[in-house]
Amino acid sequence: MWKFLPILRLERGIHSGTWVQLISRYGKVRVRAVVTDRVHGKELYMPMNSVESPVNRLTSSYTDAATHTPAYKETSVQMIVLPEPGENPLPRTNFRYGHPTPQHGVEVERKWNRPDYTEPGSQKPGNQKLVQIRMNETKTIST
């Protein structure tokens, strides 16, 4: 799944779900697009953990001089919009569709009120009380 800025959508006719082929000097991948305003200019974004189309197929073995990490951000690609339609790869439950994560904050009170929760050091059935371990000092006797 590649993420595109809306400007590319207008210039190339790309919609979320459109299949595109990206070609670099090192290889090519076929991926579905997601149109978003989370990238800038004519940049493309692809998560590094894609199993179907790993970004490594497009990159070289060169590394960033300062960080010694792979130079993924320096990859130029040619994009070909494929004629076949595709579904939007984002699930309908994604927070971008107005379905935010239902939990707000840590909510430790919910944890404390669970029937299986035991306070550290408590002696509820099945639990052992916490024990403090004390180290004895070793005395050395000189002769």
Side-chain angles (χ1 to χ4, degrees):
M1 166 175 63
W2 279 79
K3 295 182 183 174
F4 297 88
L5 188 67
I7 192 169
L8 287 174
R9 178 189 65 185
L10 298 174
E11 288 180 5
R12 299 288 192 87
I14 297 171
H15 302 281
S16 290
T18 300
W19 283 99
V20 297
Q21 184 175 46
L22 301 171
I23 304 167
S24 76
R25 295 181 348 188
Y26 307 101
K28 61 185 177 180
V29 293
R30 181 179 167 274
V31 295
R32 286 186 294 167
V34 173
V35 177
T36 179
D37 59 1
R38 296 176 141 211
V39 292
H40 304 284
K42 293 187 178 183
E43 295 176 349
L44 309 177
Y45 169 81
M46 181 176 180
M48 293 182 57
N49 59 353
S50 173
V51 176
E52 299 87 27
S53 299
V55 70
N56 300 32
R57 292 182 185 164
L58 299 174
T59 61
S60 70
S61 59
Y62 295 111
T63 57
D64 181 274
T67 62
H68 304 292
T69 58
Y72 295 135
K73 294 181 181 181
E74 298 174 9
T75 303
S76 296
V77 296
Q78 173 190 6
M79 180 176 61
I80 300 172
V81 179
L82 301 175
E84 61 195 277
E87 291 184 24
N88 188 337
L90 286 179
R92 293 302 306 165
T93 56
N94 188 283
F95 68 92
R96 294 179 207 165
Y97 294 115
H99 304 289
T101 305
Q103 181 172 319
H104 300 286
V106 177
E107 298 185 4
V108 293
E109 290 83 8
R110 277 183 43 202
K111 176 181 175 182
W112 295 337
N113 290 326
R114 286 192 341 224
D116 63 333
Y117 176 76
T118 57
E119 187 176 327
S122 67
Q123 289 190 352
K124 290 187 179 178
N127 285 340
Q128 299 294 324
K129 186 172 181 164
L130 295 178
V131 179
Q132 181 177 4
I133 299 173
R134 295 188 179 148
M135 303 296 288
N136 291 331
E137 292 183 24
T138 307
K139 296 183 182 180
T140 306
I141 303 172
S142 28
T143 54

